[in-house]
């Protein structure tokens, strides 16, 4: 069965290492026959959540920006893939802002079940992505039908393009290909 897969690249840097991971995940998911859409936050206007909770009553955020287009795509996806650079041992600020603004999904009849996280960092110790995984886990915990299905970490990559030839690219491809 083909799934609708939404890949969200949160890096604002052109040719970023985390976006390269996202592209490989997309390639794998497409090879497996899934419907895939990739969104890059680069060039998007996304404001901070105001905490007004109006979305909990209306199912829609009151802020008029690019999240108005992204939230419905998240809602309708079977699987959501987040790709982020690791800054100071945590997900990037753009990803955190995106997750905060996705509050309109809470309490909705969202479709997604499988969540994936792709990370890249200059540091290469295996524990580097743990805070990002934990942060995303807090968001996932608010959606009882969703779970973290897999993660890929590319460590030791700093400058754009450093990820070329990194084993994590193959892991991202295989993870995309393994969606069931």
């Amino acid at each position: 069965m083909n799934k609708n897969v939404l890949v969200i690249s949160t890096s604002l840097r052109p040719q970023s290492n985390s976006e390269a991971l996202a592209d490989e995940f997309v390639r794998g998911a497409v090879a497996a026959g899934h419907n895939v859409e990739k969104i890059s936050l680069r060039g998007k206007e996304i404001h901070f959540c105001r905490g007004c909770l109006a979305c909990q009553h209306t199912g829609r955020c009151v802020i008029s920006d690019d999240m108005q287009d992204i939230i419905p795509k998240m809602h309708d996806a079977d699987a959501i893939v987040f790709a982020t650079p690791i800054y100071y041992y945590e997900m990037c600020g753009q990803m955190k802002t995106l997750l905060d603004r996705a509050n309109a999904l809470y309490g909705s009849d969202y479709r997604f079940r499988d969540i994936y996280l792709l990370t890249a960092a200059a540091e290469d110790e295996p524990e580097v992505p743990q805070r990002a995984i934990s942060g995303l886990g807090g968001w996932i915990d608010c959606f009882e039908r969703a779970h973290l299905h897999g993660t890929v970490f590319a460590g030791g990559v700093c400058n754009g393009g450093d990820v070329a030839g990194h084993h994590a690219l193959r892991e991202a491809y295989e993870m995309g290909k393994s969606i069931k």
Side-chain angles (χ1 to χ4, degrees):
M1 176 170 88
N2 291 8
K3 291 198 172 183
N4 294 318
V5 180
L6 179 64
V7 178
I8 302 174
S9 175
T10 65
S11 177
L12 301 183
R13 180 168 66 174
Q15 301 171 354
S16 78
N17 295 307
S18 60
E19 187 150 8
L21 292 172
D23 290 341
E24 284 303 297
F25 192 103
V26 166
R27 220 170 53 82
V30 167
H34 299 293
N35 304 313
V36 183
E37 180 177 0
K38 182 181 140 199
I39 296 172
S40 172
L41 297 189
R42 188 174 38 262
K44 300 278 191 246
E45 181 182 343
I46 300 176
H47 299 284
F48 294 120
C49 177
R50 297 177 189 159
C52 68
L53 299 179
C55 61
Q56 295 301 290
H57 305 289
T58 65
R60 187 171 165 81
C61 183
V62 298
I63 301 171
S64 181
D65 63 9
D66 289 320
M67 283 301 290
Q68 297 294 337
D69 295 328
I70 297 171
I71 290 172
K73 292 175 183 191
M74 291 174 73
H75 180 277
D76 295 339
D78 295 305
I80 301 174
V81 183
F82 296 100
T84 183
I86 299 291
Y87 298 145
Y88 298 103
Y89 298 91
E90 182 56 275
M91 70 180 77
C92 69
Q94 300 84 248
M95 181 168 161
K96 177 63 171 115
T97 299
L98 174 98
L99 294 177
D100 289 347
R101 288 291 305 287
N103 196 42
L105 295 169
Y106 182 78
S108 73
D109 189 22
Y110 58 89
R111 186 170 175 175
F112 56 87
R113 301 294 182 267
D114 298 334
I115 307 293
Y116 299 85
L117 180 63
L118 311 173
T119 58
E123 298 81 11
D124 63 357
E125 296 81 14
E127 66 274 5
V128 168
Q130 291 310 309
R131 290 184 191 151
I133 293 168
S134 178
L136 179 58
W139 183 81
I140 294 169
D141 286 347
C142 295
F143 299 94
E144 63 185 37
R145 297 187 313 253
H147 66 280
L148 183 62
H149 198 75
T151 66
V152 172
F153 171 58
V157 296
C158 184
N159 298 311
D162 282 356
V163 75
H166 198 287
H167 64 85
L169 291 173
R170 183 71 179 163
E171 292 172 28
Y173 173 83
E174 293 298 330
M175 189 174 286
K177 197 170 178 185
S178 73
I179 293 176
K180 295 189 185 327

